[in-house]
């Protein structure tokens, strides 16, 4: 019995490639503005961009700073702009993104150091949509039932890992930081369409304000950027319809 | 350049915002002034990586009782788990799941709309008759849902988070029986400032330390900071030698593929295509507990029946499952396989190997998550621990799948309650900014050192030796080799120097501090494993291949002295209804 491991099994994939990285750097303790630095490291085609960044940090320049934790796309720490697109460094292989990489911090949030941005505004916007279950009735000491259809209704938006890839790819968000942004709307959607929740009106009121869903111009950047494959723009459209037609 | 030191005073401080820390925070918040300190944004915690589920005898899909769950947990623990604690966990499991449902957790549902349950390794009906459907789950992202739901509830309660604050020391005050925990010292990642948190109660919930191994399912940040800090302050660690290796890590990477894959019908096959678990565990086959499956894989590989050019892995075969079932129940893990190996799991079997996964051992506690500091169960007032960093012990020598998510919510809740009650009855500790001196000195030493040793090099050497010599199968010889390497690395650690001398997000520095925790805990693990001349659960000694209940049905307590040497003493296992018997499945 054999499986050919397309990405690591063949001899070619084990071969070391020279990866060239151009990284936008900024150290607030020294620099007045960001500048570019170039690095070259040897990686396998099956390595991730995160592997390459670690390689730099651990063998070339220990000052290079970025966030990361899980290293397999579930914690949402390492959103960055890789060759012009918002991506998680840990789920993009060199074989997918190539050996010439331009890496910058995500846009629209203040840069603190190198690839690290201030996530507070993003989380504040998340908190503003009341992102928790509101259910006043007391179900007593037992589970509430929920049909498989009702559960499926909000499945897609439960996947969000709050990485900010979507929000920081949104041209409207870049232009106006007041806009709550797609990630916050995704997290509101997760409760608005949960049959157990009773907070819909409050959330729809918040999203009907001028910082809410009507700023969205349906340009799909956010959907393309989402590493969890969430249909972000569709979720926003569903919330818009819920506001217009007063039903979920 | 001297570091700024800030001062805060709280009733309760929780260190860590994974499942255990957040569950404790929900319990404490509103009852007293609380701060939650976490080195990661809460939603980045590794609880979010948990896939398979959380067991509770809800009996939603078939007959089940908490007593059966307890029996399985005791047997799974290879009789090293403490039975009264296990009883509590399995009983309270049912409440815990209902709580989570009330908090809004998006469980997968049965056609009737109840919380669905599936099979998981080592969980059986009626004391081992057949696998039972006990694991409550949300597709293959149960941990993600738990973490998100608990964080949402913390947002609802306006819990006071200090995000990206990393704790590097613990504060005590008083002598003898008056001695109590009085707070922690934290390093603020964004500024490099130090913060003294004086607090009546402190609960550690810092998660595991799987980054001491090269092949590991754990996040880069799982460096054992909580246990490390306490160990370095002279507090004991329990059962460190019991470290779990999960059978199905993605080959070469260690990324986890949940046991839920086998719960859904996946099969392990060797290079010849044989279903080798049929030989090892005729009744439950691929759903035997993890220690047995990992050893079986090790044996297949060692005996030349591995797959691949180097015959160094086996397969997890899902190809016979209906594609819709894979998409509905295992979407994330099959995605990982596509991303990292370029394989379509619906068509091809997946190359896997055991991966370092879970610390059964850790900070010794009682069932109220109070930290105990000796083998007489003496409590350190004000100090609590819950979750993977703690050892209650409910997992004994081998944790059953799904029992950790359970552990974190049950004992997170208990710890939170106990701490809230305790702090209402004691006065504020007398702590000053001078409490930060030790951490400040260490940081300044690291920043000014010109020693030339590199953190990454030392860490890699540690991970290599641990994976090679202290994993699924151990011998006196392999452990001696690991010990010699660790001794050498701990010496070299004294000459570490770092590139980044700055204050803002200096992860060069924090990685160096984290490494000291990994080195000390690895040392404790290896010393405990050398002494334990038997095989029990995840601790398998090829040179002592049988379990020895007469000599070794006891917990190890490891102590590290001021010079960094480890000594051991032991505490009897607390028994109960179930007498030790041979573990057959
Ligand atoms: C891939 C994977 C899959 C798993 N699947 C399952 C499963 O299906 N079922 C199951 O029961 N178990 C599973 N487990 C095990 C289980 O997920 C973990 O044991 C559990 O989630 C640990 O939770 P925790 O709250 O103790 O720690 P974590 O979730 O790891 O959280 C640790 C927290 O501590 C903080 N922290 C750490 N150090 C410091 C410091 N120095 N200062 C401040 N904060 C600090 C971190 O920021 C983080 O918030 C799985 C584990 C892995 C790795
Ligand atoms: S679809 Fe809306 S939210 Fe998404 S990027 Fe476009 S404008 Fe922004
Ligand atoms: S919706 Fe997708 S891109 Fe946006 S924060 Fe969530 S996971 Fe990230
Ligand atoms: S490091 Fe966790 S998502 Fe990339």
């Amino acid at each position: 019995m054999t499986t050919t491991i397309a990405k690591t099994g063949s001899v070619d994939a084990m071969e070391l490639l020279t990866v060239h990285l151009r990284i936008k750097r900024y150290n607030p303790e020294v620099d007045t503005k960001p500048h570019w630095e170039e690095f070259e490291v040897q990686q396998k085609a099956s390595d991730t961009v995160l592997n390459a960044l670690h390689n730099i940090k651990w063998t070339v320049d220990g000052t290079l700073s970025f966030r990361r934790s899980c290293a397999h796309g579930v914690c949402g720490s390492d959103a960055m702009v890789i060759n012009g697109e918002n991506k998680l460094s840990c789920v993009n292989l060199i074989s997918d993104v190539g050996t010439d990489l331009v890496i910058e911090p995500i846009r629209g949030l203040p840069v603190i150091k190198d690839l690290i941005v201030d996530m507070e505004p993003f989380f504040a916007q998340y908190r503003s949509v009341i992102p928790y279950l509101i259910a006043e009735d007391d179900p007593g000491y037992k589970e509430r039932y929920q049909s498989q259809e009702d559960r499926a209704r909000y499945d897609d938006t439960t996947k969000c890992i709050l990485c900010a890839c979507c929000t920081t790819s949104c041209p409207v968000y870049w232009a106006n930081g007041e806009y709550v942004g797609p990630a916050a709307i995704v997290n509101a959607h997760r409760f608005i369409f949960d049959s157990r929740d009773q907070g819909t009106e409050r959330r729809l009121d918040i999203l009907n304000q001028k910082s809410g869903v009507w700023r969205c111009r349906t340009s799909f950047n956010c959907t393309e950027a989402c590493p969890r494959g969430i249909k972000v723009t569709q979720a926003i459209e569903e919330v818009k319809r819920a506001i217009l037609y007063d039903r979920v | 350049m001297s570091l700024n030191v800030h001062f805060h005073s709280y009733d309760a401080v929780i260190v860590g915002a994974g499942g255990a820390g957040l569950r404790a925070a929900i319990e404490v918040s509103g009852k007293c002034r609380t701060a939650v300190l976490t080195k990661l944004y809460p939603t980045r915690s590794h609880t979010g990586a948990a896939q398979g589920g959380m067991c509770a005898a809800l009996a939603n899909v078939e007959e089940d009782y908490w007593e059966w769950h307890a029996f399985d947990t005791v047997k799974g623990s290879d009789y090293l788990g403490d039975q009264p604690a296990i009883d509590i966990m399995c009983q309270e499991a049912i409440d815990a799941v209902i709580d989570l449902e009330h908090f809004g957790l998006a469980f997968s549902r049965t056609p009737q709309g109840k919380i669905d349950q599936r099979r998981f390794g080592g969980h059986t009906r009626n004391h081992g008759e057949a696998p039972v459907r006990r694991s409550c789950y949300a597709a293959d992202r149960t941990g993600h849902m738990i973490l998100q739901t608990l964080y949402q509830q913390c947002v609802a309660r306006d819990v006071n988070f200090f995000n990206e604050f990393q704790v590097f020391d613990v504060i005590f005050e008083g002598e003898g029986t008056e001695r109590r925990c009085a707070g922690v010292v934290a390093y603020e990642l964004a500024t490099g400032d130090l913060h003294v948190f004086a607090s009546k109660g402190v609960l550690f919930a810092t998660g595991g330390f799987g980054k001491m191994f090269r092949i590991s399912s754990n996040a880069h940040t799982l460096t054992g900071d909580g246990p490390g800090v306490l160990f370095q302050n002279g507090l004991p660690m329990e059962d460190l030698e019991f470290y779990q290796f999960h059978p199905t890590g993605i080959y070469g990477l260690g990324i986890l593929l949940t046991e839920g894959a086998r719960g859904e019908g996946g099969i392990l096959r060797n290079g010849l295509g044989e279903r080798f678990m049929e030989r090892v565990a005729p009744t439950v086959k691929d759903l035997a507990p993890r220690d047995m499956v990992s050893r079986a894989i090790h044996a297949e590989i060692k005996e030349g029946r591995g797959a691949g050019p180097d015959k160094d892995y086996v397969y997890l075969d899902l190809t016979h499952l209906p594609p819709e079932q894979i998409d509905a129940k295992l979407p994330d893990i099959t995605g990982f396989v596509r991303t990292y190996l370029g394989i379509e799991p619906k068509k091809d079997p997946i190359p896997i190997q055991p991966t370092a996964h879970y610390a059964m051992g850790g900070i010794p506690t009682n069932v109220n998550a109070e930290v105990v500091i000796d083998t007489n169960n003496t409590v350190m007032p004000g100090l609590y621990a819950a979750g993977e960093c703690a050892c209650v012990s409910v997992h004994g020598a081998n944790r059953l799948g799904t029992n950790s998510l359970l552990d974190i919510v049950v004992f997170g809740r208990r710890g939170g309650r106990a701490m809230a009650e305790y702090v209402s009855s004691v006065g504020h500790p007398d702590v000053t900014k001078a409490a930060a001196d030790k951490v400040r000195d260490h940081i300044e030493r690291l920043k000014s050192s010109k020693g030339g040793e590199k953190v990454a090099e030392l860490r890699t050497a540690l991970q290599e030796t641990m994976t090679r010599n202290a994993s699924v199968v151990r011998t006196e010889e392999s452990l001696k080799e690991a010990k010699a390497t660790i001794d050498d690395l701990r010496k070299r650690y004294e000459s570490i120097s770092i590139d980044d001398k700055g204050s803002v997000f200096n992860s060069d520095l924090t990685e160096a501090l984290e490494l000291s925790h990994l080195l000390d805990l690895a040392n404790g693990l290896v010393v405990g494993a050398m002494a334990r001349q038997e095989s029990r659960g995840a601790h398998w000694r090829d040179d002592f291949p049988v379990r020895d209940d007469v000599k070794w049905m006891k917990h190890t307590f490891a102590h590290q002295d001021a010079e960094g040497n480890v000594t051991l003493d032991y505490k009897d296992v607390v028994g109960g209804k179930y007498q030790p018997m041979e573990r057959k499945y």
Side-chain angles (χ1 to χ4, degrees), chain B residues 353-376:
Chain B
Q353 72 184 131
T355 183
H357 185 55
Y358 182 84
M360 269 76 71
I363 307 164
T365 72
N366 61 25
V367 295
N368 293 319
E370 295 170 303
V371 173
V372 303
I373 53 170
D374 57 32
T375 52
N376 299 320

Side-chain angles (χ1 to χ4, degrees), chain B residues 268-431:
Chain B
L268 294 168
R269 297 187 189 282
N270 64 19
L272 309 170
E274 293 165 343
R275 185 178 191 181
F276 55 90
M277 283 310 296
E278 268 173 353
R279 273 185 268 125
V280 182
T283 311
V284 298
K285 303 188 179 79
D286 300 278
L287 288 173
R290 291 173 179 173
D291 56 333
M292 299 177 84
V293 182
S294 286
R295 271 196 299 283
I297 294 172
H298 185 90
E300 291 304 307
I301 292 171
K302 198 167 153 208
E303 287 158 23
R305 293 188 295 274
D310 299 323
K311 293 189 181 304
D312 59 349
Y313 56 79
V314 299
Y315 292 114
L316 172 62
D317 185 1
L318 307 179
T319 54
H320 54 289
L321 300 182
E324 317 79 64
Q325 187 185 353
I326 293 183
D327 291 338
K329 303 293 180 69
L330 304 166
D332 282 11
I333 61 152
T334 45
F336 300 152
V337 174
R338 288 180 201 113
T339 302
Y340 295 104
L341 297 179
I343 283 178
E344 177 44 62
K346 291 174 188 164
K347 294 211 196 79
D348 285 311
I350 309 160
I352 53 107
Q353 72 184 131
T355 183
H357 185 55
Y358 182 84
M360 269 76 71
I363 307 164
T365 72
N366 61 25
V367 295
N368 293 319
E370 295 170 303
V371 173
V372 303
I373 53 170
D374 57 32
T375 52
N376 299 320
N377 297 319
T378 308
V379 166
M380 170 61 73
L383 188 59
Y384 301 79
E388 189 171 337
C389 71
C391 178
V392 184
S393 146
V394 284
H395 309 303
N398 173 61
R399 170 174 75 83
L400 289 189
T402 75
N403 272 356
S404 173
L405 290 177
L406 180 56
D407 172 357
I408 64 179
V409 289
V410 166
F411 292 102
R413 177 167 73 169
R414 287 183 149 256
R417 278 190 189 162
M419 179 162 66
E421 198 175 314
Y422 166 81
V423 301
S424 70
S425 68
V426 297
H428 271 286
D430 191 12
V431 173

